[in-house]
Amino acid sequence: MCQLLGMNSRLPASLHLSFTGFSQRGGCTDHHADGWGIAFFESDGATPDQPGRGVRYFVDKEGAATSPIAKMLRSYPIKSHNVIAHVRKATMGAITLENAHPFVRELWGRYWVFAHNGDLKDYAPTLHGNFRPVGDTDSERAFCWLMQELVKSHAGVPSVAELSLTLQELVPQVAAHGTFNFLLSNGQALWAHASTKLHYLVRQHPFTEVHLRDEDIKMDLSEHNGPQDRLAIVVTEPLTTNELWTALEPGQFMTFVEGCPQPGVALARVAGG
């Protein structure tokens, strides 16, 4: 199956260290070499502390460990409030550019980004709105269906809390078809659901040195972050060897805003998966 990586932060944060290790799983330290992608929301230069609406979006059908685009991004100073990345092991859909995750759609004047890990068996939802898949993966079909149902559920632009409650109602309908580990963001929040395997941690002051699992790299995060910085990292398998990662339970749905789980929404359990 594929692997997922997401970040949600209080202030614009760098994903350089995490992406460096994660991208090695795309054909070097792991076998997920059937494409990869990353999307990150960038804040406007005049208001860097506000979550951005614009998205930089890169996908490739090559493995992330050897892709020239991934190599460029490992040195690119990514600064964002919300990031979603994916390395693919194809189980449904051809190895083509249009099947590379994450997928991007517009809704309510915002870009939405989605990536999925797992297989959905006999999944053919009725899509009658404006959201249609470009490729032929079950993942993109599920994303289009979620977007379609969000539109049907809200007459106006909902809050993050309202979106979280609606997603908690929708997700089990997809998860009933198989494994539905996913990450979703609209630039305001990061939503995560685990059918089988996802881990997360929150990094905040005081920051310490971390050791990557997939690269022989150590970094003292206190040299790059201040007291106001806080970020949550969500990933399929832990990225570091010396940090305490929390495993999501099967069926667990979480919302992250400003680098932390949201009270009343985080740790809520949903059926299915």
Side-chain angles (χ1 to χ4, degrees):
M1 291 187 184
C2 311
Q3 290 211 13
L4 304 168
L5 168 64
M7 182 190 76
N8 169 267
S9 66
R10 181 180 184 184
L11 299 175
S14 171
L15 196 67
H16 174 264
L17 180 69
S18 295
F19 183 70
T20 295
F22 181 74
S23 63
Q24 294 306 304
R25 298 178 180 181
C28 182
T29 60
D30 215 327
H31 56 269
H32 304 83
D34 297 333
W36 69 278
I38 187 170
F40 49 98
F41 293 83
E42 284 200 331
S43 301
D44 187 276
T47 56
D49 293 343
Q50 298 300 315
R53 291 175 179 264
V55 171
R56 289 190 189 268
Y57 174 49
F58 300 88
V59 292
D60 196 348
K61 65 180 182 180
E62 292 189 30
T66 57
S67 166
I69 301 173
K71 180 179 180 181
M72 179 270 291
L73 287 174
R74 284 192 288 269
S75 61
Y76 182 84
I78 297 173
K79 283 277 192 175
S80 178
H81 288 86
N82 290 280
V83 182
I84 292 178
H86 181 274
V87 291
R88 185 177 184 226
K89 175 64 176 176
T91 57
M92 187 175 297
I95 302 173
T96 59
L97 196 59
E98 59 266 30
N99 286 335
H101 306 218
F103 304 104
V104 179
R105 295 291 191 276
E106 179 275 331
L107 176 59
W108 294 310
R110 281 189 172 274
Y111 290 114
W112 289 69
V113 177
F114 173 89
H116 165 231
N117 164 25
D119 290 324
L120 302 174
K121 304 299 184 183
D122 302 317
Y123 184 67
T126 300
L127 298 174
H128 50 71
N130 295 323
F131 302 101
R132 302 296 177 91
V134 177
D136 56 0
T137 64
D138 53 348
S139 306
E140 192 179 14
R141 288 196 296 274
F143 180 36
C144 289
W145 184 81
L146 286 175
M147 294 292 95
Q148 172 182 282
E149 297 305 304
L150 284 177
V151 172
K152 291 165 58 177
S153 300
H154 298 279
V157 180
S159 66
V160 168
E162 291 171 328
L163 287 166
S164 297
L165 291 173
T166 302
L167 286 167
Q168 284 181 281
E169 295 175 355
L170 296 174
V171 166
Q173 299 179 53
V174 184
H177 289 268
T179 305
F180 196 43
N181 304 304
F182 75 78
L183 297 175
L184 174 70
S185 180
N186 67 348
Q188 297 174 304
L190 177 69
W191 291 276
H193 175 261
S195 284
T196 54
K197 188 179 294 185
L198 274 181
H199 298 78
Y200 81 95
L201 60 72
V202 175
R203 291 174 178 160
Q204 58 190 344
H205 183 79
F207 292 91
T208 60
E209 184 179 81
V210 297
H211 308 163
L212 283 183
R213 181 184 299 272
D214 298 273
E215 286 266 40
D216 186 19
I217 294 177
K218 300 179 181 180
M219 178 180 289
D220 186 351
L221 297 179
S222 66
E223 297 178 357
H224 304 275
N225 296 275
Q228 301 304 313
D229 287 301
R230 180 178 64 232
L231 64 152
I233 303 289
V234 186
V235 69
T236 302
E237 295 281 2
L239 292 168
T240 54
T241 59
N242 66 324
E243 293 182 287
L244 181 62
W245 293 83
T246 300
L248 275 69
E249 298 179 13
Q252 188 170 350
F253 177 86
M254 299 187 70
T255 305
F256 297 89
V257 177
E258 295 190 350
C260 64
Q262 292 302 286
V265 176
L267 304 182
R269 296 294 301 278
V270 296

